[in-house]
């Protein structure tokens, strides 16, 4: 679970995005909202629908999301590479070598970088919303960015 914790966060976000996007498309029967094609970003439909965003807010949120997407994709690529490296080293060792330690440290630093980046994106997005919208948005999204399931005492027996 430790290695897959962050991947699980990404998968949960993708699942949430896909669920709300498909639900919205089925209910509405069209693929445009506020003049913006949402097929390419179905993850934004729940924001508009559930939070009641204005057209201007939708544009701001879309722009922030589009700007963050490449960084998120690159982080996912780097995390996958770090997971592969640790798995390869772990299977070839019976103890923590310097290389193993360095790979674990690099992995932890990468998770920190990714989590900080995600949190910054969430707070930037929330800043474009009215206070009640921002509160609801953060209440929904922060648990994904602050996933402590891999280290909480109630989940330690799973590892």
């Amino acid at each position: 679970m430790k290695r897959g914790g962050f991947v699980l966060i990404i998968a949960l976000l993708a699942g949430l995005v896909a669920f709300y996007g498909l639900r919205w498309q089925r209910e509405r029967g069209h693929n445009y909202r506020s003049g913006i094609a949402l097929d390419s970003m179905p993850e934004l439909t729940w924001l508009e629908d559930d939070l009641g965003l204005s057209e201007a807010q939708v544009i701001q949120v879309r722009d922030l999301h589009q700007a963050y997407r490449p960084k998120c994709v690159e982080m996912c690529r780097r995390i996958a590479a770090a997971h592969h490296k640790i798995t390869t080293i772990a299977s070839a060792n019976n103890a923590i070598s310097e290389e193993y330690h360095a790979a674990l440290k690099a992995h932890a630093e990468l998770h920190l970088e990714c989590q900080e980046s995600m949190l910054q994106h969430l707070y930037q997005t929330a800043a474009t919303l009215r206070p009640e919208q921002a509160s609801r948005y953060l209440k929904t999204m922060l648990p994904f960015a602050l996933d402590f399931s891999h280290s909480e005492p109630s989940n330690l027996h799973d590892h």
Side-chain angles (χ1 to χ4, degrees):
M1 177 74 177
K2 287 184 182 182
R3 287 181 275 165
F6 202 77
V7 173
L8 178 62
I9 292 170
I10 300 301
L12 288 172
L13 285 171
L16 183 66
V17 163
F19 171 78
Y20 279 106
L22 290 172
R23 186 182 85 175
W24 179 82
Q25 285 182 353
R26 258 187 264 125
E27 289 175 359
R28 303 294 187 296
H30 56 79
N31 298 322
Y32 286 86
R33 188 72 178 236
S34 301
I36 299 168
L38 295 174
D39 284 344
S40 62
M41 288 190 287
E43 61 271 29
L44 300 182
T45 59
W46 76 270
L47 284 172
E48 184 176 9
D49 290 345
D50 292 355
L51 300 180
L53 301 185
S54 69
E55 188 170 335
Q57 287 174 312
V58 170
I59 291 167
Q60 287 179 304
V61 168
R62 181 205 57 207
D63 291 347
L64 285 171
H65 192 68
Q66 284 178 329
Y68 181 68
R69 257 185 170 180
K71 186 172 193 164
C72 186
V73 168
E74 176 59 16
M75 283 286 182
C76 289
R77 186 200 63 74
R78 290 173 57 201
I79 288 170
H83 287 175
H84 177 73
K85 183 173 184 173
I86 289 172
T87 301
T88 301
I89 293 169
S91 64
N93 285 280
N94 293 328
I96 304 293
S97 64
E98 286 185 34
E99 179 189 27
Y100 202 166
H101 175 79
L104 290 170
K105 185 175 179 180
H107 178 264
E109 290 170 355
L110 181 56
H111 274 274
L112 174 64
E113 180 184 346
C114 186
Q115 190 171 37
E116 285 178 342
S117 179
M118 187 185 309
L119 288 166
Q120 182 179 14
H121 172 66
L122 294 179
Y123 291 129
Q124 285 176 334
T125 300
T128 68
L129 307 175
R130 293 189 313 269
E132 66 278 1
Q133 293 170 319
S135 176
R136 188 161 174 216
Y137 170 74
L138 291 173
K139 184 178 180 180
T140 302
M141 297 306 297
L142 284 176
F144 294 106
L146 299 174
D147 178 28
F148 298 122
S149 63
H150 61 281
S151 61
E152 290 177 351
S154 63
N155 295 321
L156 289 179
H157 67 287
D158 295 338
H159 304 286

